């Protein structure tokens, strides 16, 4: 914790290691025993990268969970994630990229999606991001660290059927502001997701947001 700023808490280079690895390990055991996982769908064998200049979210919570899915050759896989959720969020200069490797004749193919680059940011409600890796500069207002996941009420509720130990570690805040965001994620879900100025491109080779 670097400093207190106007009733908030500021960290330089905030990272998802805020959710202890021991919690993720425990969650895996719960998942395998109960057969319930984080995302409401089986995730693909490809994670994706996201960058944004700024994400401002109100009603924030974060807890450890699992995503079940597949490898690129169809085998089952389980990924520990930190679920970051926001009741409402605005996102400036969003970039999302995913690379599909080893396509016959073409080789690697990259898909890049961009939105919110102009005056209108991307807007989301009830946003859940299943994050594998994240770095950013972050400021939190009225943050609680170490709350039981089931008792985190500032952000959206835990999703029905997901594997997150309800008695495990979580944190929550009235507001979170993240700048210079770089993250790798396995899944994103939202009640609404408004992409202003959406642009999508496909190209050969490896071309990512970062």
């Amino acid at each position: 914790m670097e400093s207190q700023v106007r009733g908030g808490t500021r960290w330089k280079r905030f990272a998802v290691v805020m959710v202890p690895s021991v919690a993720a390990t425990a969650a895996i055991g719960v998942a395998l025993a109960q057969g319930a996982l984080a995302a409401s769908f089986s995730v693909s064998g490809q994670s994706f990268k996201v960058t944004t200049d700024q994400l401002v979210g109100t009603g924030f919570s974060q807890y450890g969970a699992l995503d079940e899915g597949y490898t690129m050759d169809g085998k089952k896989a389980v990924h520990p994630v930190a679920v970051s959720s926001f009741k409402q969020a605005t996102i400036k200069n969003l970039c999302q990229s995913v690379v599909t490797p080893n396509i016959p004749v073409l080789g690697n193919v990259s898909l890049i999606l961009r939105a919110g680059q102009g005056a209108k940011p991307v807007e989301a409600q009830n946003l859940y991001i299943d994050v594998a890796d994240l770095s950013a500069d972050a400021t939190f207002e009225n943050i609680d660290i170490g709350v039981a996941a089931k008792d985190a009420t500032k952000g959206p509720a835990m999703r029905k059927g997901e594997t997150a130990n309800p008695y495990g570690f979580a944190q929550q805040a009235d507001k979170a502001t993240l700048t210079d965001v770089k993250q790798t994620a396995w899944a994103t879900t939202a009640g609404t997701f408004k992409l202003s100025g959406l642009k999508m491109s496909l190209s050969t080779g490896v071309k990512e947001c970062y």
Side-chain angles (χ1 to χ4, degrees):
M1 186 178 302
E2 186 174 280
S3 62
Q4 296 291 327
V5 182
R6 297 182 183 177
T9 303
R10 176 178 293 170
W11 281 287
K12 294 288 287 183
R13 310 318 306 165
F14 170 75
V16 294
V17 293
M18 288 297 300
V19 179
S21 59
V22 66
T25 302
I28 291 174
V30 174
L32 297 178
Q34 297 181 350
L37 293 137
S40 57
F41 51 86
S42 294
V43 299
S44 74
Q46 297 168 268
S47 60
F48 53 93
K49 291 185 176 181
V50 177
T51 62
T52 178
D53 290 347
Q54 183 184 68
L55 184 155
V56 178
T58 55
F60 164 79
S61 66
Q62 186 184 72
Y63 50 90
L66 296 174
D67 281 351
E68 182 183 43
Y70 302 94
T71 63
M72 289 296 283
D73 57 1
K75 296 178 181 178
K76 291 186 177 181
V78 177
H79 309 286
V81 295
V83 179
S84 296
S85 63
F86 304 86
K87 287 185 176 179
Q88 293 185 325
T90 58
I91 304 168
K92 294 181 179 179
N93 193 19
L94 172 69
C95 175
Q96 177 179 300
S97 64
V98 62
V99 178
T100 301
N102 304 321
I103 295 178
V105 181
L106 296 176
N108 298 322
V109 173
S110 300
L111 182 151
I112 294 183
L113 178 152
R114 298 183 186 276
Q117 293 180 291
K120 294 182 179 180
V122 172
E123 298 177 358
Q125 293 184 342
N126 291 325
L127 174 66
Y128 294 81
I129 309 171
D130 296 7
V131 181
D133 181 77
L134 178 147
S135 67
D137 293 332
T139 300
F140 300 94
E141 295 183 13
N142 298 321
I143 189 169
D144 303 318
I145 300 173
V147 64
K150 73 179 184 66
D151 293 332
T153 57
K154 293 183 178 182
M158 296 171 65
R159 291 168 293 189
K160 184 178 180 181
E162 72 180 348
T163 300
N165 188 334
Y167 309 108
F169 175 95
Q171 56 186 357
Q172 62 177 355
D174 289 341
K175 183 178 180 180
T177 301
L178 283 71
T179 57
D180 190 21
V181 178
K182 296 179 180 179
Q183 72 177 26
T184 301
W186 287 101
T188 297
T189 60
T192 60
F193 204 36
K194 184 177 180 181
L195 299 170
S196 300
L198 174 63
K199 297 179 181 179
M200 187 180 72
S201 63
L202 285 164
S203 59
T204 56
V206 177
K207 298 177 182 178
E208 299 178 288
C209 296
Y210 71 95

